[in-house]
Structures are given as structure tokens and as C-alpha cells.
Amino acid sequence: MASSQASSFGLKDPSLVKFQGYIDGKWVDAQSGETITVNNPATLETIGTIPEMGLAETKQAIDAAAKAFPAWSTTSPKHRHDLLLKLYALMQEHTDDLGRLITIENGKTLAEGKGEVAYSASFMEWFAEEAVRTYGEQIPSANTAVRNVVIKQPIGVVGIMTPWNFPSAMITRKLGAALAAGCTAVIKPPPETPFSALAIAELGIRAGIPPGVINIVTTQKNVSEVGREICENKIVKKVSFTGSTGVAKLLLGMSATTMKKVSLEAGGNAPFIVFDDANIDEAIAGALACKFRGSGQTCVCANRIFVQAGVYAEFAAKLTEKVAAFKIGNGLDASTTHGPLIHARAADKVKSHVEDAVSRGAKLLIGGKGPEGTSFFEPTVLSDVPADACLNQEETFGPLAALTQFTTEAEVIELANNTDVGLAGYFFSRDVGRVWRVAEKLQVGMVGANTGLISQAAVPFGGIKESGLGREGGHGIEEYMNTKLIVFGGL
Ligand code: SIN
């Protein structure tokens, strides 16, 4: 059964497709025998099943990670560097297959799927290089009788919970840092896109990562109890999550019971600002990349597009013309520029944001609908979106470009910051003074100044306000380490 299911994915290496969880170095089913059905969002057809695991398997995975921790955490950083680089090389070698897996389970186009594999693998490369640079410190003491030294130590077992919008990269951004630091991990991938996670575990085996270091628990129905166990189990020392602000707050509360270290990358509502002095063609290219990447399903997508009065009409016309050339369809089809959303519910949410804005006076320039009962929604542009439109306070997470006109810099800064979240923000201007002023004033963790794409393994990714806690990528290995002070006396 599993091998015929696997061959239906059409991979060159079908053994990358796994239909079981992975605990203590073994591929395992749920103790209950129950399974979850996974669908292709483009066709709504079933692509395979994975185990519906629960509390018992989560505890087993945590225990396995704890058992593997002493040996893994005391390997040399160079050893971990070498294994992570092997994993990086394997991910690159299997880019076509891993990209196809992403397209089949997430819906994004094959070009985007392969692009995600490159992005995902880059975290393994980056953190391999970070593994050997977890320097401590020697701190001069006011007391001549002692010497102060600070060392960094791996924090322990890490719980990793990831979203479906980047089935591979959101895992490696956390797992790469955790493994490099010397931590072991229990991963709960989303039920919509588990296969990329399981393929990473398979490549981890091939790279030589020992049993128990990576564990994967798959669940859908039991997600609350699995999440609670990961957050409340004393053995787990750190939780890293990417997903909605609502769930991030719940996990933060649960993690408080054991005072766990947390990294939470939660929702955004990114402003994208175009000033009169911008290079309009560059601003259009930035808006298209930023807004419609993954069909608008990224936490850093432009959600509110503010355009200054002098260039508003030109920007709206050019953006609409470009969007008209988009073609939605199955991501495996080479002519498709934009795939479906993750499921029909996601398409319904975009529809509700369009209808809400239009009912309050916004104008529909293009798109605005999707075939009923499918996951597809047309790339859409709205103009004259009023301040009270729902999308100004709530992330749309779909292919909806919502334009609002403004007149002054002060006005747009106020509009941009008028939200409880602050993940990413973007603006286009050729005035160097304005570039500094606006970059400093936007209340976000990440700013794109004259660019719509900011994501890279080397930079600190994360938000302020209710967009989360901690930073991933960049020096994010620190989030997986304890800082220990040793004061040497008796000299
Ligand atoms: C996200 O949507 O959460 C991640 C986006 C990115 O890494 O670029």
C-alpha cells in the first residue's frame, strides 16, 4: 500500500515519501491505528495518509529525544557541522523531488517549491557554519581574586511546531539551529503538509544523524493534547513555533508552567508603502513578489498597500495590468503562475475580506472570486480600501492586494503602525532621508526598504508587538543555548 501510495507522487526517489511518524530512529504508526488523510489542495484528491498520533506517542518521542541528548550534545561542533552540511548537500541533490512534494501537498508552483527547497537547505548550511562559532566570553572582574568565563551549552530537548505555508523551510529554520547547538528535537508538522517534514527525517538518516535526535509526531485531531504535552512536559526545555498569533499566545501560556524558553513567530499584517518619489516599476515588482508569494500565504506578505496620492492612479493601473497576466492552476503545470490556497476555507476567508471591503466602499479592480468548492481564488486588487475594512486589522493570508491612498508621511506612518502586530513592513522611496526616517518609525521586526523580499538564512527573522518573541535565522542558534557563567576562584 505504502509503496503504491509513494509512487503516485511521481518522485525520482519514491523512498523519500513516508507515511509513518518517526520516533527513536523507527518509522511508526499510531498506537490507535488511526490515520489522517492528506489532500492535494489543487485537485482535492487524497495523496496519502499519516498516523493520527496522540499523547502516548508524544511522550515516547520526548523520551527518545531525552535519551539521545547526552551523546548528541557532547559531539564536537565540527562533527555536527559536518552532518548538517551532508544534510544540506542531500537536500540540494533531491531538490526536484522535495520541490515536487511541496507542490503536491501545499499547492505552490513547482518553481516556488524548488525555491523553498533552496531556502530550506540554506538554513542547514547556515547553521552548520554557526555550530562551530558558539563562542563564550571572558569578562574582566572587579575582584582580582576571581576570573569570569561565560560558556554556551545546548538547552536540551526542543519542541518544534510548524505551519503548512512553508512545509520544509519552517522546519529547517528551527531544526538546523537546534541540531547545530547540540539539541535533540520533537517535531509536530502540520497535518496539511507532513510529507516534507518526513522527507527531511529520511534525509537526516541518510546524513548519519543518530536515532532519537530527530523525532516526528503527526497529528490532526489530537493537536491540542500533543501541543500541551510539548509545552508542559518538564523534559522539553524550549518550544519553537511558527503560526497564528492566537495559537502562539496559547502555547506561551502553557510553556509558562515550566518556564520554558520560547521562540514564537506569529502573524503579521505588513504595510507596504509607496511614496511619490519611488521608482514605480521597482515598487510594482516588489509588491508583486511580496504580496503574491505563495499565493499570499506568508506571514510577511504585504497585507495593506498604502500609495501616495501623486502616484496612486499609475500604481493601481500598473499593478492591475500585471496581475491580469497571472494564471492560477495546478502548481505542477508549467504555465501556472499561482497555485491554490491550502484549502477551501482559506479561499472563503479571502472572499469574506473582499466582500467586507467592497461593502464598505472599496473598488474591485480585478479578480475577487474563485470557483466554488475549490481552494482557488483569483489574484485580486482592490482600490480605495477604507480604514474600517476588516483586512486592516486581520491578516488575509491570500492573494488580495488592498490599496489605500495617503497624502503625508506622518499620516502613513500612523496608518501603518495602527495594528497590534508588527512582523514585516516595506516601503519604496528614493529619498535617503525618508528611507532612514521611515525604516526607524515602522513598528515591525523587519523592514524592506526598496525591496519586497527580505527572507534569507543569515538575517534575524521575527517580529515585535503581538507578532512574536525571539529571532530565527542569523544568530538564532543562541535561542537553543543556555548561557552559563563560571567564576573561577582559588587562584
Ligand atoms: C512565514 O510566512 O512565516 C515565513 C516567511 C519567510 O520565511 O519568508
Side-chain angles (χ1 to χ4, degrees):
M1 171 65 179
S3 68
S4 71
Q5 278 192 80
S7 64
S8 69
F9 281 74
L11 305 196
K12 292 178 214 160
D13 179 352
S15 64
L16 285 173
V17 192
K18 300 291 176 198
F19 300 95
Q20 291 173 298
Y22 182 63
I23 298 176
D24 204 8
K26 295 177 203 70
W27 295 105
V28 285
D29 292 319
Q31 288 181 12
S32 64
E34 277 184 74
T35 55
I36 305 159
T37 299
V38 185
N39 295 327
N40 178 333
T43 61
L44 301 182
E45 283 164 12
T46 296
I47 52 175
T49 58
I50 48 158
E52 177 66 85
M53 294 179 158
L55 196 55
E57 294 88 345
T58 309
K59 285 183 187 217
Q60 271 176 7
I62 292 171
D63 289 345
K67 192 173 72 175
F69 180 71
W72 179 250
S73 60
T74 49
T75 54
S76 75
K78 171 73 169 84
H79 179 71
R80 299 197 293 273
H81 160 277
D82 292 350
L83 292 192
L84 289 187
L85 274 194
K86 258 192 211 162
L87 185 45
Y88 165 67
L90 283 166
M91 290 183 74
Q92 285 194 313
E93 185 187 326
H94 293 283
T95 293
D96 288 351
D97 279 353
L98 297 176
R100 193 176 166 90
L101 260 187
I102 291 173
T103 297
I104 291 172
E105 64 180 357
N106 164 282
K108 63 180 74 173
T109 64
L110 207 43
E112 285 187 303
K114 288 189 205 171
E116 181 180 338
V117 177
Y119 182 42
S120 179
S122 75
F123 288 107
M124 288 300 172
E125 182 190 35
W126 174 259
F127 285 114
E129 290 159 355
E130 286 289 283
V132 290
R133 293 188 173 79
T134 53
Y135 303 131
E137 248 184 317
Q138 187 269 321
I139 302 175
S141 175
N143 176 357
T144 54
V146 298
R147 300 289 181 271
N148 301 322
V149 173
V150 173
I151 62 167
K152 301 288 169 90
Q153 292 181 305
I155 197 163
V157 174
V158 173
I160 292 176
M161 292 178 255
T162 57
W164 45 259
N165 63 339
F166 288 89
S168 180
M170 292 307 98
I171 290 178
T172 54
R173 183 147 81 187
K174 301 170 193 308
L175 183 66
L179 298 184
C183 299
T184 55
V186 175
I187 303 169
K188 189 212 75 61
E192 292 90 343
T193 60
F195 294 114
S196 296
L198 297 166
I200 291 171
E202 167 63 19
L203 292 178
I205 298 170
R206 296 184 196 179
I209 294 177
V213 172
I214 300 174
N215 302 276
I216 302 193
V217 175
T218 53
T219 184
Q220 179 173 45
K221 185 177 84 186
N222 302 325
V223 66
S224 304
E225 67 183 43
V226 169
R228 180 174 289 280
E229 184 62 20
I230 290 174
C231 292
E232 294 188 350
N233 190 310
K234 284 191 177 179
I235 296 171
V236 179
K237 299 296 183 225
K238 150 117 200 158
V239 165
S240 183
F241 166 79
T242 295
S244 72
T245 295
V247 175
K249 286 181 183 176
L250 280 175
L251 300 179
L252 181 60
M254 292 176 200
S255 300
T257 59
T258 48
M259 205 65 99
K260 282 188 191 14
K261 197 162 172 173
V262 292
S263 297
L264 303 169
E265 198 259 277
N269 185 351
F272 185 104
I273 306 167
V274 184
F275 288 99
D276 282 348
D277 57 29
N279 176 320
I280 295 302
D281 291 333
E282 283 176 13
I284 294 283
L288 292 170
C290 179
K291 175 65 255 184
F292 294 102
R293 176 177 173 225
S295 293
Q297 301 174 106
T298 82
C299 298
V300 289
C301 270
N303 205 50
R304 299 166 294 148
I305 303 181
F306 301 110
V307 187
Q308 206 162 10
V311 292
Y312 187 79
E314 180 189 357
F315 184 89
K318 284 188 168 169
L319 186 72
T320 306
E321 189 188 319
K322 293 281 184 193
V323 169
F326 287 168
K327 182 174 174 298
I328 55 173
N330 189 322
L332 293 178
D333 179 342
S335 67
T336 296
T337 60
H338 291 81
L341 303 188
I342 191 69
H343 34 50
R345 283 195 313 287
D348 289 346
K349 178 167 182 199
V350 186
K351 189 171 167 214
S352 77
H353 275 194
V354 171
E355 287 173 355
D356 168 76
V358 169
S359 75
R360 294 171 198 273
K363 294 193 193 80
L364 182 63
L365 299 187
I366 191 162
K369 57 186 186 323
E372 280 300 316
T374 72
S375 312
F376 288 96
F377 200 86
E378 294 170 352
T380 298
V381 181
L382 289 179
S383 73
D384 302 351
V385 174
D388 61 353
C390 192
L391 63 85
N392 279 314
Q393 285 309 323
E394 200 186 303
E395 207 177 9
T396 305
F397 232 64
L400 166 57
L403 310 190
T404 300
Q405 192 175 137
F406 72 93
T407 45
T408 68
E409 186 180 307
E411 175 198 357
V412 79
I413 292 292
E414 197 176 325
L415 285 168
N417 290 339
N418 183 24
T419 165
D420 291 334
V421 291
L423 188 59
Y426 308 84
F427 65 94
F428 280 71
S429 165
R430 305 309 298 179
D431 175 333
V432 72
R434 168 174 277 159
V435 168
W436 273 110
R437 277 195 309 276
V438 176
E440 286 180 358
K441 284 193 181 141
L442 283 178
Q443 294 170 355
V444 294
M446 299 173 284
V447 173
N450 291 312
T451 178
L453 292 174
I454 52 177
S455 306
Q456 309 144 54
V459 301
F461 190 103
I464 61 169
K465 294 160 87 174
E466 295 188 16
S467 283
L469 292 171
R471 291 293 180 270
E472 302 193 284
H475 299 305
I477 192 169
E478 293 283 335
E479 308 255 351
Y480 294 83
M481 306 202 87
N482 285 326
T483 297
K484 182 182 279 177
L485 165 68
I486 309 173
V487 181
F488 287 84
L491 303 178

